[in-house]
Amino acid sequence: MVSSSVALADVQSAAEQGLPLNAGPTSAEEQASFEQDADRIRQSYESQLFTLPAFKMGHYGLRMYRQTQDPKYQAAIWSDMARVASRLNYFATEVNTPEQIAEYSAQRLARYEIKDDVRSDLRYEATKDQPEYYYLGVDLLGSMARANEYGLKHREDAKLREVIRRYDFEKYATDPEMIRAWAAQLANQVYWLRQLGEQDVVEEFTSAFKATYPDSQDAQLTDQQFMNKVYGLTHIIFADTGYYQHPVKESDHQWIFDYYRANIDTIIARSKEDVIAEVGINFLLAGLENDPVVEKTRKAIQRSLNRQAGIIPAVNGSTDLLDGEHRNVLAIMLLDWQGAHAVPTIQKQPEIFTGKPYGLMTK
């Protein structure tokens, strides 16, 4: 079983005593401790940030810039922009015909065939008969959407959009087997399609998600599938905000917030720290800083912090910076939330985009 640092037994014990788990308003002292721990993690990463691969560096730098607008993250963002340009250049010139896409996708599928973890098995089985999903959803859409967020597009944008239009994304987004394998990724992708002004299947995906994971069947889910469900829920809200760029109304996703409030103790007991932090950030994006769920998630994350290493460790105790980047940047955001900001864009922060990587242009 994969669990967080809060054991289910602790949750049950608190419930038996009639005690809420970490409920109540956050005191000034508690808030200061949250911010101090966020800074502890931040220092661990930023002393080593430029040793990370471009994807991880960009993932961290973009999120921190959207939180703080601190120019020290500009180099990491430029690195991310270069990664996006390289990927789109490759697709535009070498992987865009049906034959090229088939070969590329087969190679991507083969990587999952040789892995032996549950999630990889689910993904292999769900995509073995439609491997083009790796190209279309996992690789192409994400790169195009990121460029779009920056106020940019690829110089062969029309060509890449023509590729997208060959496929009906609804078949991936509404397939229960795909949702059980890729819930969070599909949530991202249906919102990216909408963002790009292409096929809009957000509502179809949402309906299929609810049918695949009815709340009444939570107890029958494995921990892996329970986390996949909650991870999918968090990404519906993340994607709707353009990834921390815009606030979201609670009423727009009332069913998700109601689910979180009714199940937060179970979520904390059955989920990894990544998922716990994302639930808390969902509330922050809706302006619900004072909701008891936020403090519960913050305290769960705070308890899991390895103070000597200055990092939220993996379930197996690993404090590897590379593998822990996703988990730890989320922890920083949860513990020291600075709001949603629609940055950076070439229109608002042109200095970041000086000397754009080859292939990208202002949209």
Side-chain angles (χ1 to χ4, degrees):
M1 170 180 174
V2 175
S3 71
S4 74
S5 51
V6 181
L8 183 57
D10 295 337
V11 175
Q12 292 170 334
S13 175
E16 288 165 1
Q17 298 174 54
L19 300 173
L21 182 63
N22 302 322
T26 302
S27 68
E29 183 179 350
E30 286 174 328
Q31 184 61 41
S33 76
F34 292 148
E35 293 173 7
Q36 288 166 4
D37 283 339
D39 194 52
R40 189 188 307 266
I41 300 168
R42 193 183 291 114
Q43 290 177 18
S44 297
Y45 269 86
E46 295 184 9
S47 64
Q48 304 290 325
L49 184 59
F50 293 100
T51 69
L52 299 179
F55 176 76
K56 293 288 187 177
M57 187 197 313
H59 185 274
Y60 181 96
L62 177 58
R63 280 151 181 76
M64 287 295 94
Y65 188 85
R66 282 182 176 164
Q67 283 285 285
T68 67
Q69 295 82 64
D70 191 321
K72 70 181 178 180
Y73 300 113
Q74 290 181 7
I77 292 170
W78 202 96
S79 176
D80 181 66
M81 182 170 53
R83 178 191 62 83
V84 168
S86 177
R87 177 67 61 89
L88 293 177
N89 289 338
Y90 176 60
F91 290 153
T93 58
E94 298 188 40
V95 188
N96 49 73
T97 69
E99 296 76 18
Q100 291 167 339
I101 292 170
E103 181 179 355
Y104 176 92
S105 302
Q107 293 174 358
R108 291 282 273 110
L109 177 65
R111 298 181 201 172
Y112 283 88
E113 187 176 14
I114 62 176
K115 296 180 181 179
D116 59 2
D117 60 287
V118 172
R119 186 178 68 175
S120 295
D121 289 344
L122 286 168
R123 290 180 173 181
Y124 177 78
E125 290 299 321
T127 52
K128 64 183 181 182
D129 295 325
Q130 47 191 8
E132 71 281 355
Y133 170 75
Y134 292 105
Y135 169 84
L136 176 65
V138 179
D139 294 341
L140 177 59
L141 276 177
S143 297
M144 290 182 68
R146 178 63 57 78
N148 180 268
E149 290 169 16
Y150 288 148
L152 304 171
K153 65 179 181 180
H154 192 262
R155 64 192 184 94
E156 296 202 55
D157 181 69
K159 180 179 185 178
L160 295 173
R161 287 175 180 271
E162 187 276 324
V163 172
I164 290 174
R165 292 168 189 162
R166 294 178 204 159
Y167 302 92
D168 180 1
F169 205 82
E170 185 175 354
K171 78 168 187 173
Y172 314 112
T174 59
D175 179 347
E177 191 176 5
M178 287 288 288
I179 292 170
R180 284 188 283 268
W182 300 93
Q185 290 75 18
L186 286 167
N188 293 343
Q189 291 148 13
V190 296
Y191 276 94
W192 285 337
L193 277 169
R194 173 186 278 183
Q195 174 188 326
L196 291 168
E198 296 294 334
Q199 186 180 13
D200 190 340
V201 291
V202 169
E203 297 306 320
E204 291 83 351
F205 165 74
T206 303
S207 295
F209 182 97
K210 291 178 178 178
T212 302
Y213 286 123
D215 297 348
S216 60
Q217 294 182 16
D218 277 4
Q220 283 73 55
L221 296 176
T222 64
D223 284 347
Q224 191 276 334
Q225 277 297 286
F226 180 75
M227 278 194 290
N228 189 64
K229 172 182 177 174
V230 180
Y231 200 30
L233 293 174
T234 64
H235 278 245
I236 289 171
I237 292 175
F238 283 163
D240 194 20
T241 70
Y243 273 82
Y244 326 111
Q245 291 191 88
H246 312 284
V248 66
K249 292 181 182 177
E250 177 182 357
S251 57
D252 289 345
H253 300 283
Q254 195 66 57
W255 65 284
I256 298 179
F257 287 102
D258 288 348
Y259 176 83
Y260 289 156
R261 292 189 178 104
N263 296 279
I264 185 57
D265 293 345
T266 303
I267 291 169
I268 290 173
R270 298 187 70 185
S271 302
K272 293 182 181 180
E273 280 74 16
D274 309 57
V275 177
I276 296 169
E278 290 193 355
V279 170
I281 295 170
N282 276 185
F283 278 80
L284 295 170
L285 283 162
L288 301 169
E289 289 90 345
N290 295 321
D291 195 288
V293 168
V294 175
E295 186 166 5
K296 288 186 179 186
T297 58
R298 282 174 167 166
K299 288 190 172 181
I301 294 301
Q302 192 173 52
R303 280 193 297 273
S304 69
L305 176 62
N306 179 326
R307 295 179 182 281
Q308 183 176 357
I311 191 173
I312 306 294
V315 171
N316 64 7
S318 170
T319 55
D320 180 78
L321 287 177
L322 175 60
D323 291 341
E325 182 275 327
H326 179 266
R327 171 173 65 251
N328 281 273
V329 75
L330 288 166
I332 294 168
M333 294 168 67
L334 174 67
L335 295 173
D336 187 20
W337 179 249
Q338 301 294 313
H341 304 98
V343 295
T345 68
I346 193 169
Q347 291 80 15
K348 293 180 182 177
Q349 290 81 26
E351 67 279 4
I352 297 180
F353 300 91
T354 301
K356 293 186 297 296
Y358 175 79
L360 295 179
M361 56 189 291
T362 303
K363 67 179 181 181

